[in-house]
């Protein structure tokens, strides 16, 4: 979704540095590991970047969902926003692997090919115990779980409870994390992984194209599946996995407070609860500073949201998905750090123009309806050029 400069440029000003932080983290470990080890002991820069991404997603995804007011439009929009570049990146990764320039996870050769493809294309591989073709795709699994839960809350009219959801997830993460330090869905649970992936695809399709009770039931089932996958399948453990989900709902709570549907003190309490409960989720000295600084960075940008941001910074946010997804591939063919940094941004600008933009425009054409005309679920879909509507409280 292309943000309008007056309202959402601050989100791009967050996404750009976040994507570059992840790229810098991986390039640091690749080209200057000794120096980067010193940095990583103080703050995990890559984790900081993905935490910022999660907060941004938590803020913007419910706004996108509620602006459209139509689950079919939401799912089509998400598919055409993410899948074109994802397919291109997966194809490039496989091509580089054939030439020996890129090393695939060993599990991609030992697990059934249809399962690996299904896990990666649904972006749920991290929660299904399926190897990722590109390592950084692990964050997309948590994004997908969040989408499922956000849709379930929206379909049942409970979307305004995001602050409570964030706080409950954060608090529950602690005991569950101690009980489930590793995933239950793992190893060679091929049939279980395949059935869960197919179930998610089914609930997405039904929630998008069915109506009435069937649509609501599918959306709720999807939300339950998303939560269950994070609890039972998170490779990093339930504590960290639920902290990530809670962080996204904390971003949603900020959006709710801005829209006036909840009080600011409620949103701030949710953010503080998530931060406090997540501080010890990982035994790594760089983890706690990352989560605290991510929350602070998000809050600072939010406070400045009505100001203008430099266009180059905002543009980095526009191409941030390309930066995030393609930098591991570029790392494998770059001879040194300087070549990597010089090529990365122009390459991602190109892929955004040639792959992401056309895909997003196609998705919009597929779901566009005249302003004011009822959409597929009986709600009214706005003209996509307008700013997101204010959500009614209660």
């Amino acid at each position: 979704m292309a943000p309008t400069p007056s309202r959402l440029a601050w989100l791009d000003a967050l996404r750009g540095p976040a994507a570059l932080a992840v790229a810098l983290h991986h390039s640091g470990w690749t080209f200057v590991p000794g120096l980067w080890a010193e940095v990583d002991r103080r703050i995990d820069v890559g984790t900081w970047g993905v935490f910022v991404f999660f907060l941004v997603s938590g803020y913007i995804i419910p706004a996108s969902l509620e602006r459209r007011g139509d689950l079919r439009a939401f799912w089509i929009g998400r598919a055409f926003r993410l899948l074109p570049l994802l397919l291109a990146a997966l194809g490039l990764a496989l091509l580089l692997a054939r030439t020996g320039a890129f090393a695939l996870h060993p599990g991609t050769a030992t697990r059934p090919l249809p399962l690996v493809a299904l896990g990666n294309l649904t972006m749920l591989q991290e929660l299904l115990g399926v190897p990722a073709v590109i390592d950084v795709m692990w964050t997309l699994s948590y994004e997908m779980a969040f989408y499922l839960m956000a849709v379930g809350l929206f379909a049942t009219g409970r979307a305004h409870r995001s602050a409570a959801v964030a706080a409950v997830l954060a608090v529950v993460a602690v005991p569950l994390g101690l009980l489930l330090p590793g995933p239950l869905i793992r190893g060679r649970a091929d049939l279980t992984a395949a059935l869960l992936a197919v179930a998610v695809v089914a609930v997405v399709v039904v929630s998008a194209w069915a109506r009435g009770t069937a649509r609501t039931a599918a959306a709720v089932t999807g939300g339950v599946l998303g939560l269950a996958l994070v609890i039972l399948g998170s490779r990093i453990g339930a504590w960290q996995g639920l902290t990530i989900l809670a962080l996204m709902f904390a971003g949603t709570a900020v959006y709710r407070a801005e829209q006036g549907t909840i009080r600011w003190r409620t949103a701030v309490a949710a953010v503080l609860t998530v931060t406090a409960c997540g501080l010890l989720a990982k035994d790594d000295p760089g983890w706690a500073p990352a989560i605290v600084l991510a929350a602070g960075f998000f809050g600072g940008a939010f406070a400045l949201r009505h100001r203008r941001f430099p266009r180059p910074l905002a543009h980095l946010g526009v191409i941030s998905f390309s930066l995030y997804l393609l930098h591991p591939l570029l790392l494998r063919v770059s001879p040194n750090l300087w070549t990597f940094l010089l090529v990365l941004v122009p390459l991602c600008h190109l892929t955004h123009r040639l792959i992401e933009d056309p895909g997003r425009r196609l998705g919009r054409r597929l779901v566009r309806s005249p302003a004011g005309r009822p959409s597929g679920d009986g709600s009214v879909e706005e003209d996509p050029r307008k700013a997101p509507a204010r959500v009614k409280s209660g």
Side-chain angles (χ1 to χ4, degrees), residues 119-331:
N120 282 266
L121 291 177
T122 58
M123 297 176 287
L124 288 169
Q125 75 293 325
E126 175 76 7
L127 305 177
L128 295 172
V130 175
V133 173
I134 305 173
D135 285 346
V136 295
M137 286 176 59
W138 71 269
T139 61
L140 300 182
S141 295
Y142 293 95
E143 295 267 359
M144 187 64 184
F146 175 69
Y147 299 163
L148 291 166
M149 292 182 67
V151 164
L153 291 169
F154 173 79
T156 57
R158 298 289 187 272
H160 61 288
R161 307 218 178 246
S162 50
V165 173
V168 169
L169 288 174
V171 172
V172 169
V174 180
L176 276 181
L178 296 174
L179 291 171
L180 300 172
L184 296 182
I185 304 170
R186 63 170 136 183
R188 291 193 163 274
D190 294 342
L191 179 59
T192 300
L195 289 175
L196 288 170
V198 170
V200 169
V201 172
V203 297
V204 168
V205 170
V206 174
S207 67
W209 271 272
R211 297 189 180 188
T213 304
R215 169 173 286 194
T216 302
V220 172
T221 302
V224 173
L225 273 173
L227 178 59
L229 283 171
V230 171
I231 294 173
L232 302 176
S234 179
R235 181 175 57 85
I236 54 180
W239 194 346
Q240 291 181 48
L242 287 173
T243 296
I244 288 171
L245 268 188
L247 200 63
M248 285 190 270
F249 278 105
T252 308
V254 173
Y255 168 72
R256 301 282 174 222
E258 184 191 23
Q259 296 296 302
T261 60
I262 65 173
R263 296 177 178 178
W264 269 110
R265 66 185 182 189
T266 303
V268 171
V271 173
L272 292 176
T273 301
V274 172
T275 304
C277 292
L279 287 178
L280 300 178
K282 185 176 182 181
D283 184 18
D284 182 337
W287 166 275
I291 192 171
V292 171
L293 291 177
F297 189 60
F298 181 85
F302 180 83
L304 299 173
R305 67 193 181 282
H306 298 303
R307 301 197 176 189
R308 290 187 177 274
F309 289 86
R311 292 186 68 180
L313 184 62
H315 182 66
L316 283 177
V318 171
I319 66 173
S320 59
F321 188 44
S322 283
L323 287 171
Y324 184 78
L325 198 55
L326 297 180
H327 81 267
L329 306 181
L330 182 60
L331 270 178

Side-chain angles (χ1 to χ4, degrees), residues 28-105:
W29 279 113
T30 299
F31 295 116
V32 285
L35 172 63
W36 200 254
E38 294 300 317
V39 174
D40 203 57
R41 275 201 290 268
R42 292 161 177 80
I43 177 174
D44 188 328
V45 174
T47 297
W48 173 85
V50 297
F51 280 167
V52 171
F53 269 122
F54 288 140
L55 283 164
V56 169
S57 290
Y59 178 94
I60 196 60
I61 290 302
S64 173
L65 176 58
E66 290 155 13
R67 185 200 69 193
R68 292 182 169 106
D70 180 358
L71 298 186
R72 180 175 63 87
F74 172 75
W75 284 120
I76 290 175
R78 285 289 87 195
F80 281 86
R81 171 68 180 90
L82 300 175
L83 287 178
L85 183 65
L86 180 64
L87 287 169
L90 291 175
L92 180 58
L94 294 175
L95 180 63
L96 290 174
R98 291 280 301 226
T99 66
F102 183 74
L104 295 173
H105 188 286

Side-chain angles (χ1 to χ4, degrees), residues 374-390:
S375 59
D377 64 349
S379 59
V380 175
E381 183 174 339
E382 290 188 294
D383 184 326
R385 292 169 295 180
K386 295 180 182 177
R390 292 180 72 85

